[in-house]
Amino acid sequence: MCGIIAFTGNRAAAPILIAGLRRLEYRGYDSSGIALHSRNKIQIHRAAGKLSQLEKKLPAKVAGKSGMGHTRWATHGEATDENAHPHLSTEGNIAIIHNGIIENANALRKALEASGVIFSSQTDSEVLAHLIAATPAETLLESVRQALLQVQGTYGLVVMDAERPGELVAARNGSPVIVGIGEKEMFITSDANAILSHTREVVHLDDGELVSMDQKSFQLSTLDAASATRESITITHDAGSLELEGYRHYLLKEMFEQPKSVERTLRGRLDHRFSTARLGGLNLTARELLDIRRIKILGCGTAYYAAMCGANCIEQLARLPSSAEPAAEFRYRNPLIEPDTLYIVVSQSGETFDTLAAVREIRRKGGRVLGINNVVGSTIAREVDGGVYMHAGPEVSVASTKAFSSMLTSFMLLALQLGRIHDVSPQYGTVLVEALERCPEKIAEALEQDAPIAAMAKKYCVAKSMFYIGRTDAFPIALEGALKLKEISYIHAEAYPASELKHGPLALIDPDTPTIVLLPDNDLLDKSISSLQEIKARKGPVIAVTNSDSPEIVELSDDVIRFPACHQFLHPLVMGISLQLFAYHCAVTMGRDVDQPRNLAKSVTVE
Ligand code: AGP
């Protein structure tokens, strides 16, 4: 989704802004632009398309030691040069970049037009530039504050004034704004990854806050003009991990990082002595955990499928009724919030609007909510009552892979901790601790199938449509496998519980429609093999994904993807890796932009 970077200091701003925008590219965008402050003027440069289009348009030397840059993902108005940010006020003295949606933009636009303002874009954001210019005050901060009091909607906003060199003002309501503190220089960004090569010391703004800064200092305040203070935090992950490091795509790199990222999720959280897991950040005592009667898990997209896996896993081990629901559906249906239910939201970015809205709905009604997040200091992580950081490291590719496996790992840890509070015996607890310790090794073994899976993908990616089926805990993995294929290869794919096939979808099975059948070696294997027979009887091509040695599977399948034998607690996690590889190789064979698939953004911070 849209990205923000701004800088004020003693160095040339343009290269810093362009490099920052490059770091934001992974979030998805369709145009970009920068504004530079030089000789009491603001110069803007904007271009539709990729960042390289903007670079082509830049003069050889771009002066200015303060400025701001933006990657836009079109919502109001097409992806054109004119609609790209920054936007200028009519006189050219105020420039803005904006993430979010201004809900009363039409009314504000009409009022501004009536007073003679001429708009030059179709965006809702442009009203902010004109509104601020039309709201004079002693300071830029005060103009912005007064203007924002007239605005309804969400914003992560940065403002520059031609008459105030080196000064930047930013404001936040529903869209992240982070201040980066450097050596005699300051940054503003919507995503800390954009500034990590300059500073690791950051301050996150809360909703309803503004910041004004020059190169030496910054001041936080609120929309009600009260001053605010906040300790800075230090970001610890490695900026190097944002590079491709020799891989062809971020997606490939992130899939192959999973043995390490899952190891980080597990680190320090397994307790051999008591045969359990310990998640330090839950902020719940053992007594409070014991009082929980029900678990409800919420997320969107891949995170929702991880939530389904988590609910299965917790219900099996802790014997607590557990269910998952898409966060947006939950928040719009006026849900009942119960005091003895533990609500858990799961989100890689920690910024997904629907998930955040669900958190706010639960808390407003007095419920207790935990977060499973990857981005430290993200909005969701800051608004929940406690939770788990996945420590998967930054995920750059739009399609989630390593975050998904770390979500599943976090849920397995939580299930074990809750299970041991309920009726998992110390003996079985030890078996599960040892199984979890082997996750990284099992994932690495699953990744060894890369070459045979690539060959299979070449054969099957000509299909117009594919089915994915699995039973019980394999079903959410089928859903996630189908989502991955859709997202990056654009092949239509649908997932069903294997048992549902005969209730309708079987009508679509034919020789041109391959089905990926998940057959983990468990008590339901015979039942899953009967699904193979149903498909073969309709001449449907079958790709079996299995860790069983059953000769029947080989007989009934056109191709077999093998994943390693492991404790069945790990099956969903390990099977999921094979499906990621399959989707990736289909997409690469078809020449798709695997890291930035069409129409998609990395984090969806709007409704
Ligand atoms: C994953 O491949 C997706 N692009 C998408 O479904 C994503 O998982 C979803 O938007 C939720 O994001 P989050 O985990 O950052 O909340």
Side-chain angles (χ1 to χ4, degrees):
M1 200 122 279
C2 306
I4 281 177
I5 165 104
F7 169 78
T8 178
N10 268 321
R11 296 188 279 160
I16 295 172
L17 299 177
I18 295 290
L21 291 180
R22 207 158 288 298
R23 295 248 185 235
L24 295 171
E25 272 193 301
Y26 76 97
R27 306 177 67 89
Y29 71 107
D30 42 36
S31 57
S32 60
I34 58 171
L36 277 309
H37 196 292
S38 164
R39 296 204 190 105
N40 284 352
K41 274 207 174 116
I42 297 174
Q43 297 288 344
I44 62 168
H45 308 272
R46 305 180 295 186
K50 292 286 176 192
L51 205 48
S52 51
Q53 303 299 320
L54 174 65
E55 286 177 296
K56 271 187 211 154
K57 282 182 124 185
L58 290 180
K61 277 202 173 160
V62 196
K65 291 181 177 170
S66 64
M68 57 193 187
H70 189 261
T71 46
R72 172 175 185 255
W73 201 69
T75 52
H76 289 56
E78 285 170 44
T80 59
D81 291 3
E82 295 71 34
N83 287 339
H85 299 212
H87 291 290
L88 282 177
S89 61
T90 313
E91 306 295 325
N93 57 323
I94 296 291
I96 63 104
I97 52 175
H98 166 234
N99 289 354
I101 292 178
I102 304 302
E103 284 157 14
N104 60 341
N106 281 345
L108 291 170
R109 189 177 179 122
K110 276 190 192 135
L112 287 159
E113 278 172 341
S115 69
V117 170
I118 296 168
F119 278 77
S120 56
S121 80
Q122 299 148 334
T123 65
D124 55 333
S125 306
E126 191 186 344
V127 296
L128 294 170
H130 298 299
L131 194 62
I132 295 165
T135 317
E138 257 183 38
T139 61
L140 177 60
L141 176 68
E142 202 42 41
S143 289
V144 175
R145 191 196 319 278
Q146 294 297 334
L148 288 179
L149 291 175
Q150 304 168 56
V151 166
Q152 286 153 22
T154 54
Y155 47 81
L157 170 72
V158 188
V159 188
M160 283 166 55
D161 181 343
E163 281 160 28
R164 299 172 200 270
E167 188 176 335
L168 297 169
V169 170
R172 170 190 165 134
N173 185 38
S175 201
V177 174
I178 303 166
V179 173
I181 307 162
E183 272 293 310
K184 295 195 187 129
E185 56 189 28
M186 294 281 170
F187 301 83
I188 300 170
T189 184
S190 54
D191 177 338
N193 288 327
I195 58 170
L196 277 190
S197 51
H198 306 288
T199 180
R200 289 170 171 276
E201 198 186 345
V202 299
V203 171
H204 290 81
L205 263 66
D206 278 339
D207 280 350
E209 286 184 343
L210 298 102
V211 63
S212 85
M213 62 167 64
D214 58 21
Q215 53 183 258
K216 293 201 197 95
S217 63
F218 69 94
Q219 289 80 40
L220 290 183
S221 58
T222 67
L223 265 184
D224 315 325
S227 69
T229 49
R230 181 139 330 110
E231 291 286 302
S232 62
I233 60 165
T234 305
I235 295 177
T236 50
H237 70 243
D238 179 12
S241 55
L242 289 166
E243 307 301 332
L244 273 170
E245 289 165 4
Y247 284 93
R248 188 171 165 199
H249 299 109
Y250 282 104
L251 189 63
L252 185 65
K253 176 187 170 218
E254 285 159 10
M255 287 190 300
F256 276 86
E257 269 175 5
Q258 291 176 105
K260 286 249 156 22
S261 50
V262 162
E263 194 181 310
R264 282 197 298 273
T265 309
L266 291 168
R267 194 171 297 155
R269 288 167 164 169
L270 289 172
D271 176 344
H272 279 272
R273 186 162 166 230
F274 293 102
S275 315
T276 187
R278 274 190 208 290
L279 292 165
L282 301 185
N283 297 338
L284 291 168
T285 60
R287 185 53 188 263
E288 285 169 322
L289 287 171
L290 190 61
D291 287 343
I292 293 163
R293 289 286 155 266
R294 219 177 305 279
I295 307 258
K296 175 66 133 185
I297 314 176
L298 308 164
C300 299
T302 288
Y304 165 55
Y305 299 144
M308 290 173 77
C309 290
N312 277 334
C313 183
I314 293 172
E315 187 158 304
Q316 289 315 307
L317 279 193
R319 306 309 291 157
L320 284 170
S322 306
S323 61
E325 192 175 337
E329 295 302 305
F330 174 84
R331 81 177 177 103
Y332 277 124
R333 67 173 173 79
N334 190 21
L336 280 175
I337 300 298
E338 294 162 315
D340 53 3
T341 297
L342 177 64
Y343 297 86
I344 303 174
V345 292
V346 55
S347 169
Q348 186 283 129
S349 60
E351 302 293 349
T352 300
F353 184 86
D354 285 320
T355 312
L356 178 60
V359 170
R360 290 178 177 164
E361 177 76 355
I362 296 164
R363 298 202 72 203
R364 192 182 58 75
K365 290 180 167 174
R368 187 165 37 195
V369 56
L370 300 184
I372 296 184
N373 298 122
N374 194 32
V375 178
V376 175
S378 59
T379 310
I380 293 176
R382 287 182 299 125
E383 291 202 14
V384 288
D385 296 297
V388 181
Y389 277 126
M390 302 190 267
H391 302 304
E395 191 179 64
V396 172
S397 183
V398 166
S400 185
T401 52
K402 67 173 181 172
F404 180 68
S405 51
S406 281
M407 285 171 186
L408 299 200
T409 308
S410 307
F411 280 122
M412 290 193 284
L413 289 165
L414 182 60
L416 173 58
Q417 183 166 348
L418 288 169
R420 284 287 292 120
I421 286 172
H422 292 277
D423 62 355
V424 170
S425 67
Q427 291 74 13
Y428 191 45
T430 301
V431 171
L432 295 173
V433 167
E434 286 169 4
L436 275 166
E437 275 177 333
R438 299 191 69 187
C439 275
E441 163 199 334
K442 295 294 167 189
I443 292 173
E445 282 178 46
L447 288 166
E448 282 169 16
Q449 294 304 305
D450 185 48
I453 292 175
M456 268 177 236
K458 280 205 173 74
K459 176 167 155 196
Y460 290 103
C461 71
V462 290
K464 290 262 169 308
S465 182
M466 292 196 207
F467 284 111
Y468 284 69
I469 60 168
R471 277 170 202 273
T472 64
D473 59 358
F475 173 52
I477 299 301
L479 285 164
E480 171 57 11
L483 177 69
K484 225 60 328 155
L485 188 74
K486 283 183 265 208
E487 281 186 303
I488 59 174
S489 74
Y490 318 146
I491 298 173
H492 170 250
E494 271 192 75
Y496 287 97
S499 53
E500 279 291 299
L501 209 54
K502 56 186 173 297
H503 297 292
L506 210 48
L508 294 175
I509 298 293
D510 66 18
D512 298 322
T513 312
T515 303
I516 300 199
V517 186
L518 302 182
L519 298 132
D521 193 0
N522 60 20
D523 301 347
L524 294 171
L525 185 65
D526 288 343
K527 296 232 170 297
S528 304
I529 291 178
S530 67
S531 309
L532 287 183
Q533 276 151 345
E534 283 173 358
I535 300 163
K536 276 329 286 176
R538 275 90 190 165
K539 301 199 168 36
V542 164
I543 307 161
V545 179
T546 190
N547 59 351
S548 150
D549 294 331
S550 158
E552 238 184 311
I553 295 178
V554 180
E555 258 164 51
L556 288 166
S557 309
D558 297 82
D559 278 291
V560 178
I561 295 177
R562 300 241 165 239
F563 67 91
C566 51
H567 190 284
Q568 66 176 40
F569 189 45
L570 308 191
H571 281 168
L573 173 67
V574 183
M575 272 186 296
I577 307 292
S578 313
L579 301 191
Q580 293 171 355
L581 289 172
F582 182 75
Y584 171 78
H585 287 294
C586 285
V588 168
T589 310
M590 297 172 83
R592 305 298 193 211
D593 184 351
V594 289
D595 283 333
Q596 287 169 36
R598 69 184 181 202
N599 306 340
L600 298 180
K602 181 65 185 160
S603 64
V604 184
T605 52
V606 291
E607 274 198 274

